[in-house]
Amino acid sequence: MTTAMSAQPTGSNSQRAGAVRMSLRRAAWASLGIVLVLAASAAVRSLGVSSLPAFVGYALLVWALLPVLVTVVVVCVVSLGSGRPLSMAPTAILAGLALAGWVSWGVGLPIGIAYGLPLGLGAAGAGWAAGSSRRAVARVVAVTVIVVVTVVFSATVTTAA
């Protein structure tokens, strides 16, 4: 006789749980790409060293929270529905699209697209590189290069616009 507390998930339930766990790990890497790109962008745009922590914190709260939540929720729903984990590429692309859409809408058109699109592309690339199966040193170098290029390009494009 088994009780409700001793019942273990079997079959498709344990597969779904494993898929959700793996997808959440990948969503965490993709979310890291969002956070790194936004933090670096905010640091470059900060007016001074004294206001840097507050400005970066504010930027992350306003601009990163929703795209991270969208990424996590969508990845969980897709994994639960399919019973398979979402691979790193679609997870990173989803995070990039969420960030680009949120920033573009929040900043306002047309400058919002010029600002949001490079940030979204950079976040997708940084998240994808961070979640890759390469050695840790290679991932750190790739993410750093992607973040720096994204911030420089984004600052250049929005200054020109």
Side-chain angles (χ1 to χ4, degrees):
M1 177 162 92
T2 61
T3 63
M5 294 196 48
S6 67
Q8 295 292 324
T10 59
S12 66
N13 286 341
S14 64
Q15 278 182 324
R16 289 180 196 275
V20 169
R21 275 193 303 275
M22 177 62 76
S23 293
L24 281 175
R25 271 188 237 127
R26 291 175 178 158
W29 288 117
S31 297
L32 178 65
I34 291 172
V35 169
L36 290 175
V37 164
L38 283 174
S41 178
V44 167
R45 295 175 190 285
S46 179
L47 300 176
V49 175
S50 62
S51 66
L52 181 67
F55 191 68
V56 170
Y58 169 78
L60 290 177
L61 183 64
V62 170
W63 298 114
L65 188 60
L66 184 70
V68 166
L69 288 174
V70 166
T71 301
V72 169
V73 168
V74 170
V75 162
C76 283
V77 168
V78 169
S79 297
L80 279 172
S82 68
R84 295 181 1 205
L86 203 57
S87 68
M88 192 64 229
T91 304
I93 292 168
L94 170 66
L97 286 173
L99 178 61
W102 178 237
V103 171
S104 296
W105 180 79
V107 171
L109 299 176
I111 191 68
I113 293 173
Y115 184 51
L117 191 59
L119 290 178
L121 288 171
W128 197 347
S132 74
S133 59
R134 298 193 180 272
R135 293 186 340 225
V137 173
R139 288 187 292 173
V140 168
V141 169
V143 169
T144 303
V145 168
I146 291 168
V147 168
V148 168
V149 168
T150 299
V151 170
V152 169
F153 183 76
S154 175
T156 305
V157 166
T158 55
T159 303

